[in-house]
Amino acid sequence: MRVIDSSVVNDEYKENYVNSYFEDLNLSTQEPDWSQMIICAMEFHDFSDCKSLLEMMEDFVFNYKHELEGKFEEMLTWCINVMEGNY
């Protein structure tokens, strides 16, 4: 009689299930945006949830500081041109 370790069977099942789930999503052609997935899944139940969102926003601004500065300058240029009637 052979004894099967149920944890091994369960782990294999979980791994196969998770792998097939993500394969069905067809994410292999694109890089998943984990930050966006986390933000979409966020729920607010206490202050620490709010703090987490603020920390993520801070990280985003820090990581994309130069790009945001450039876009901000583009926005200001557009606003000035609109106010001067150039658009």
Side-chain angles (χ1 to χ4, degrees), residues 2 15 22 28 36-37 45 51 54 63 67 74 80-82 87:
R2 183 173 169 225
E15 184 177 341
F22 283 107
S28 60
Q36 182 181 12
M37 293 169 66
H45 301 287
K51 185 176 181 256
L54 293 174
N63 289 331
E67 289 87 352
E74 287 179 33
I80 291 168
N81 285 329
V82 167
Y87 274 97

Side-chain angles (χ1 to χ4, degrees), residues 70-87:
K71 287 298 177 184
F72 184 77
E73 290 174 8
E74 287 179 33
M75 180 189 68
L76 287 179
T77 302
W78 179 84
C79 288
I80 291 168
N81 285 329
V82 167
M83 293 189 325
E84 292 177 348
N86 295 332
Y87 274 97

Side-chain angles (χ1 to χ4, degrees), residues 1-79:
M1 177 177 193
R2 183 173 169 225
V3 176
I4 299 174
D5 183 0
S6 64
S7 66
V8 172
V9 173
N10 288 337
D11 289 343
E12 287 178 22
Y13 172 77
K14 288 176 193 174
E15 184 177 341
N16 289 337
Y17 176 80
V18 169
N19 287 340
S20 67
Y21 173 78
F22 283 107
E23 287 171 4
D24 290 344
L25 290 177
N26 195 21
L27 294 176
S28 60
T29 59
Q30 57 186 338
E31 188 70 26
D33 186 348
W34 295 107
S35 296
Q36 182 181 12
M37 293 169 66
I38 292 168
I39 290 170
C40 290
M42 286 184 93
E43 294 182 1
F44 301 96
H45 301 287
D46 57 33
F47 183 73
S48 65
D49 296 332
C50 300
K51 185 176 181 256
S52 295
L53 177 62
L54 293 174
E55 288 171 352
M56 288 185 76
M57 290 170 60
E58 180 182 26
D59 289 344
F60 180 82
V61 170
F62 179 78
N63 289 331
Y64 299 101
K65 180 180 178 187
H66 297 291
E67 289 87 352
L68 290 170
E69 286 174 346
K71 287 298 177 184
F72 184 77
E73 290 174 8
E74 287 179 33
M75 180 189 68
L76 287 179
T77 302
W78 179 84
C79 288

